[in-house]
Amino acid sequence: MVKMGFRWYGSQDDPIPLKYIRQIPGCEQVVGALFDIPVGEVWPKKRIKALKDEVEAAGLKLEVIESVNIHDDIKIGLPTRDQYIENYKQTIRNLAAYGIKVICYNFMPVFDWVRTDKRFELPDGSTDLAYRHEMVQGTLQETLDMVTSQSEGFTLPGWEPERLSDLKSLFDAYADVDEDKLAANMAYFLQAIMPTCEEMDIKMAVHTDDPPRPLFGLPRIVKNAADLRRIAAMWDSPYNGFTICTGSLGENPANDVPAIIREFGAQDKIPFVHARNIKFMGDNGDFHESAHLSSEGSLDMYEIMKALHDVNFDGYMRPDHGRDIWGEVGRPGYGLYDRALGLSYLNGLLEALAKGSADTTETVVMTEELEMV
């Protein structure tokens, strides 16, 4: 059975209280993190316990962490990476002590996700996130200023000020990191941590690149099925898996998202799913995010959920980015109302698929019985 969750940024930095999340039908999990711990440092057990206790006191579960981010020294392949890897392994152990089952992370250089408009207005008056490729053709500093000016006081994941305070130095450090070197550095990281993951029973789930294309001359290595096959081969284990983000993969129309789900779901490589829809604008890779319904975007969410059903997916899922609707102006992409609607829609699709499959099985059995009479 799919375990449905809802991303939450903590009581100090999320306007949505846990009691509201608890009221969403079919939602039993919170996907959380300790966002104030600098990347590369060990997550203390005391802080993990406090977060888990807070979530459980609201009647919810905390079994997925998104994210324990990877220090740039690991991605670049600097000699200092080994100490950061040791810190990461200790964080894995500390999380396992409190029942965490999945860690979502990414291996994107410098920037995490990239959007060019945080309040893109749709015809119905709602707003959502959008990406227009021509708007990231300026200088790096111009892009950074554009994104951070739209943060509205929130610290955006992957755009932490302390990391980006000296953007030129960070880019200089990545100057010699091409796609092959970044992949080699990821393999080094995975081969170092996987024995700990297997011992602690925690699955790693790398998030697909968002958008799935090189940006600013930086490589991206989690873009498509070929990339996922390369990563899967780095350590052949169910503990080396993927966060299948339907929106991120779907931002490249060449990616067949249901086929990718069937391929890697059959290998037990998908512990976590981010489910969202997007709408293409033109043919330059531009898109805006949309309501989750298939009819509202360019992705067929029924076929995506059917692929998950067909591989007997029983991992964790959360509705991904939502619009701002009904007057809500929350954290960009992470309002309450549209994500709650999305979660209900996804659960409806999954219930229909499960019951339709059961009805088909019952019909086949009855037919066989009649033929025997």
Side-chain angles (χ1 to χ4, degrees):
M1 182 176 179
V2 175
K3 295 174 276 290
M4 193 68 76
F6 206 79
R7 194 175 193 187
W8 184 63
Y9 285 87
S11 54
Q12 301 303 309
D13 199 32
D14 198 319
I16 301 168
L18 287 171
K19 65 180 180 180
Y20 288 3
I21 298 174
R22 178 68 178 84
Q23 293 169 4
I24 303 171
C27 181
E28 63 175 21
Q29 297 277 339
V30 161
V31 177
L34 299 177
F35 296 99
D36 61 324
I37 296 180
V39 176
E41 292 189 9
V42 176
W43 288 22
K45 282 187 175 182
K46 182 178 180 180
R47 293 287 311 281
I48 298 168
K49 181 179 185 302
L51 176 62
K52 186 176 179 68
D53 288 348
E54 185 178 13
V55 170
E56 290 185 342
L60 295 158
K61 299 177 183 178
L62 179 73
E63 296 173 348
V64 179
I65 291 295
E66 182 185 342
S67 303
V68 182
N69 288 325
I70 312 298
H71 197 277
D72 287 301
D73 289 13
I74 296 173
K75 298 176 187 177
I76 296 166
L78 298 178
T80 48
R81 65 181 170 178
D82 290 331
Q83 182 55 56
Y84 288 116
I85 289 174
E86 288 304 312
N87 289 354
Y88 207 99
K89 288 161 66 175
Q90 188 57 50
T91 293
I92 291 170
R93 297 185 189 101
N94 291 352
L95 289 168
Y98 293 96
I100 302 305
K101 295 300 181 184
V102 175
I103 294 173
C104 173
Y105 70 106
N106 75 76
F107 221 78
M108 291 180 258
V110 184
F111 301 116
D112 192 333
W113 53 275
V114 176
R115 295 292 185 272
T116 58
D117 194 336
K118 301 297 190 299
R119 304 289 181 192
F120 181 81
E121 187 167 349
L122 301 179
D124 63 4
S126 63
T127 62
D128 62 9
L129 302 171
Y131 174 85
R132 286 178 282 193
H133 193 60
E134 66 177 14
M135 294 182 68
V136 296
Q137 304 309 304
T139 68
L140 293 170
Q141 191 61 50
E142 286 172 344
T143 300
L144 176 62
D145 292 344
M146 175 186 64
V147 173
T148 55
S149 68
Q150 299 178 36
S151 66
E152 300 172 7
F154 295 106
T155 298
L156 304 177
W159 295 80
E160 296 80 7
E162 64 273 12
R163 287 185 61 246
L164 304 178
S165 59
D166 188 353
L167 198 60
K168 183 179 185 305
S169 295
L170 190 54
F171 264 81
D172 287 345
Y174 275 98
D176 296 326
V177 180
D178 59 11
E179 184 171 315
D180 288 341
K181 186 170 183 180
L182 186 63
N185 293 339
M186 185 175 187
Y188 185 94
F189 169 72
L190 288 174
Q191 289 160 14
I193 69 164
M194 275 296 123
T196 302
C197 293
E198 292 176 345
E199 179 186 356
M200 295 291 105
D201 192 27
I202 282 188
K203 294 181 177 181
M204 297 296 294
V206 64
H207 190 287
T208 40
D209 296 332
D210 188 9
R213 62 195 299 173
L215 293 173
F216 311 112
L218 296 166
R220 300 274 199 163
I221 59 169
V222 198
K223 308 179 299 300
N224 50 41
D227 286 350
L228 301 192
R229 293 182 196 113
R230 175 165 61 178
I231 293 167
M234 292 174 182
W235 188 277
D236 188 10
S237 166
Y239 290 87
N240 176 27
F242 306 102
T243 296
I244 294 296
C245 179
T246 64
S248 298
L249 285 169
E251 288 157 15
N252 180 354
N255 283 334
D256 185 334
V257 179
I260 290 172
I261 289 171
R262 288 190 170 89
E263 177 176 348
F264 295 97
Q267 301 173 34
D268 194 19
K269 295 278 191 181
I270 306 177
F272 191 27
V273 171
H274 289 180
R276 64 178 168 90
N277 206 344
I278 57 109
K279 182 77 171 179
F280 290 116
M281 301 185 293
D283 56 4
N284 192 37
D286 296 350
F287 62 89
H288 68 80
E289 299 184 358
S290 70
H292 286 72
L293 276 73
S294 299
S295 59
E296 295 295 306
S298 299
L299 306 182
D300 190 329
M301 299 305 292
Y302 170 82
E303 289 297 333
I304 287 170
M305 292 301 110
K306 186 174 187 301
L308 289 164
H309 171 77
D310 290 348
V311 297
N312 298 313
F313 174 73
D314 62 356
Y316 300 87
M317 181 187 297
R318 70 168 178 84
D320 206 2
H321 306 158
R323 302 166 298 149
D324 280 336
I325 62 173
W326 301 341
E328 183 180 28
V329 182
R331 175 185 288 275
Y334 285 96
L336 169 65
Y337 306 135
D338 201 42
R339 286 189 295 153
L341 290 174
L343 188 150
S344 296
Y345 170 66
L346 297 170
N347 270 336
L349 289 176
L350 291 170
E351 180 180 352
L353 286 161
K355 289 184 174 179
S357 178
D359 290 346
T360 300
T361 301
E362 183 178 347
T363 300
V364 170
V365 170
M366 292 177 61
T367 300
E368 292 175 347
E369 289 174 348
L370 288 171
E371 290 175 347
M372 294 174 63
V373 174

